[in-house]
Amino acid sequence: MQKLRRGMACPIHEACILLLLILGLVTPAAINHEDYPADEGDQTSSNDNLIFDDYRGKGCVDDSGFVYKLGERFFPGHSNCPCVCTEDGPVCDQPECPKIHPKCTKVEHNGCCPECKEVKNFCEYHGKNYKILEEFKPSPCEWCRCEPSNEVHCVVADCAVPECVNPVYEPEQCCPVCKNGPNCFAGTTIIPAGMEVKVDACNICHCHNGDWWKPAQCSKRECHGKQTL
């Protein structure tokens, strides 16, 4: 059996290190494991778990680890749009997706393009909701309708000029009404239209036809020293 001397080369493995310790040629503190790498066989077996297949130029791999051949069409995990496997990697379609309706309340992203699944089917006006094509009056002078576009269109009533000088506004009515019929002013006196009215001892007046806002036409009759209009 060959004896080991200091400085003598020894194959580095666990048995050799143990022998050196028994002979007292080295101490445990002097052994640095970095100076004694594992056997080549051990290195190969430990590195097997770190080797990955290289598919560049041969195929494509998706996020789940599935391998696709060149020219094969597939859907990667990060995209819902179809891709084609090429030598340079996946080439994915980028379609021009339609715009989402501004009134859309539910959007799904399951497909290649986002898709609106629910559109608001009502109108909101002054804090209240109205159904499509529903008509309503927010005030006596307004007539409104909820349009299919989810917008409210309103029309404000255009009141005609009243045929009297003392119109009144009735509850729930937009335009003023002449409760006593057409009339006009004769001085400070209101006289009905369509007839002559003796306003005092000397004057008889009547309203202009259709021009109710104009003062009455009056004619003087014989009187006994009394002041006329």
Side-chain angles (χ1 to χ4, degrees):
M1 179 177 180
Q2 186 180 4
K3 295 183 179 180
L4 294 175
R5 302 187 302 274
R6 291 184 183 274
M8 181 178 180
C10 176
I12 303 302
H13 49 73
E14 292 182 359
C16 185
I17 294 174
L18 180 60
L19 179 59
L20 292 173
L21 291 173
I22 295 173
L23 296 176
L25 297 178
V26 295
T27 62
I31 299 176
N32 188 350
H33 292 282
E34 294 180 357
D35 297 334
Y36 304 93
D39 290 342
E40 185 177 353
D42 296 337
Q43 281 187 326
T44 304
S45 61
S46 62
N47 288 337
D48 286 343
N49 295 329
L50 302 177
I51 295 176
F52 295 94
D53 293 330
D54 187 358
Y55 292 99
R56 288 176 296 180
K58 303 176 183 178
C60 301
V61 183
D62 65 7
D63 292 353
S64 301
F66 291 100
V67 180
Y68 299 90
K69 298 178 181 178
L70 293 178
E72 192 171 358
R73 199 173 181 85
F74 67 102
F75 291 84
H78 65 277
S79 172
N80 288 312
C81 296
C83 300
V84 176
C85 181
T86 69
E87 292 184 354
D88 297 325
V91 176
C92 302
D93 294 341
Q94 297 295 332
E96 185 176 351
C97 297
K99 294 182 178 180
I100 298 296
H101 195 285
K103 301 291 184 180
C104 184
T105 57
K106 183 179 180 181
V107 180
E108 286 189 358
H109 298 273
N110 295 329
C112 184
C113 291
E115 184 178 0
C116 180
K117 289 296 184 180
E118 186 175 334
V119 177
K120 185 174 71 172
N121 58 351
F122 62 90
C123 300
E124 186 175 353
Y125 189 77
H126 291 178
K128 294 184 178 180
N129 295 335
Y130 299 92
K131 298 179 181 179
I132 300 296
L133 300 181
E134 182 179 358
E135 298 178 358
F136 57 96
K137 293 185 67 175
S139 71
C141 293
E142 290 180 286
W143 176 84
C144 302
R145 186 174 73 170
C146 175
E147 301 293 343
S149 61
N150 301 107
E151 296 179 352
V152 174
H153 289 174
C154 296
V155 175
V156 179
D158 186 13
C159 297
V161 178
E163 297 180 346
C164 61
V165 295
N166 58 347
V168 295
Y169 286 87
E170 295 287 350
E172 301 301 324
Q173 289 191 10
C174 176
C175 298
V177 295
C178 297
K179 297 189 69 174
N180 298 319
N183 55 38
C184 65
F185 277 114
T188 58
T189 305
I190 297 176
I191 62 174
M195 56 187 304
E196 292 185 345
V197 178
K198 188 175 182 180
V199 294
D200 55 33
C202 301
N203 294 282
I204 295 178
C205 303
H206 68 275
C207 296
H208 292 273
N209 291 330
D211 296 333
W212 317 112
W213 63 91
K214 294 181 180 180
Q217 289 181 326
C218 298
S219 58
K220 185 174 66 174
R221 301 293 176 88
E222 292 184 0
C223 55
H224 302 285
K226 290 190 178 181
Q227 186 177 1
T228 59
L229 292 175

